[in-house]
């Protein structure tokens, strides 16, 4: 059974769909998530997908990709977009940062 529209990545908190890696990348590039997330996602995926195989040996090495690791990376960044868009989470992070800065200023 495929996900129903309410269960899919889009629509929650006014976010775009994030059901594929391309949709997630587009959301991050559009400014959803935290600063630098788009670049970090690309780097983590590239590291996982291209690790330990030099360009001149690609045709000699069987392609083995840990799809569980790729799925975990994608899920983590989807979660970061959801956290960044949640007003309660944003308020809590802002308050924690303000508290830390106040403590540093008091020392």
């Amino acid at each position: 059974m495929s996900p129903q529209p309410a269960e899919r990545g889009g629509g929650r908190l006014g976010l775009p769909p994030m059901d594929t890696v391309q949709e997630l990348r587009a959301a991050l590039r559009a400014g959803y998530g935290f600063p630098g997330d788009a670049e970090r996602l690309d780097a983590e995926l590239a590291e996982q997908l291209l690790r330990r195989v030099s360009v001149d040996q690609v045709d000699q090495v069987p392609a083995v990709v840990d799809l569980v690791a790729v799925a975990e990376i994608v899920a983590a960044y989807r979660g970061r977009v959801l956290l960044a868009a949640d007003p309660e989470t944003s308020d809590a992070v802002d308050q924690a940062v303000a508290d830390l800065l106040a403590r540093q200023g008091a020392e």
Side-chain angles (χ1 to χ4, degrees):
M1 174 187 260
S2 64
Q4 299 303 310
E7 298 171 348
R8 296 181 53 141
R12 291 181 285 188
L13 304 170
L15 296 172
M18 296 181 290
D19 298 314
T20 67
V21 174
Q22 290 304 87
E23 289 175 345
L24 176 59
R25 290 178 78 232
L28 291 171
R29 295 209 180 286
Y32 295 95
F34 295 99
D37 275 355
E39 295 78 14
R40 283 191 293 273
L41 171 67
D42 287 346
E44 287 185 37
L45 288 175
E47 180 182 337
Q48 185 60 43
L49 295 171
L50 302 175
R51 66 183 208 201
R52 297 189 194 109
V53 179
S54 64
V55 175
D56 60 338
Q57 296 177 338
V58 170
D59 62 338
Q60 301 167 16
V61 179
V64 178
V65 175
D66 184 352
L67 294 178
V68 171
V70 170
E72 289 172 349
I73 292 167
V74 170
Y77 280 91
R78 186 179 294 125
R80 292 175 61 81
V81 170
L82 293 170
L83 280 175
D86 182 8
E88 290 180 17
T89 301
S90 294
D91 291 345
V93 169
D94 290 343
Q95 184 61 49
V97 169
D99 291 347
L100 287 171
L101 292 174
R103 285 185 199 152
Q104 287 179 345
E107 293 176 355

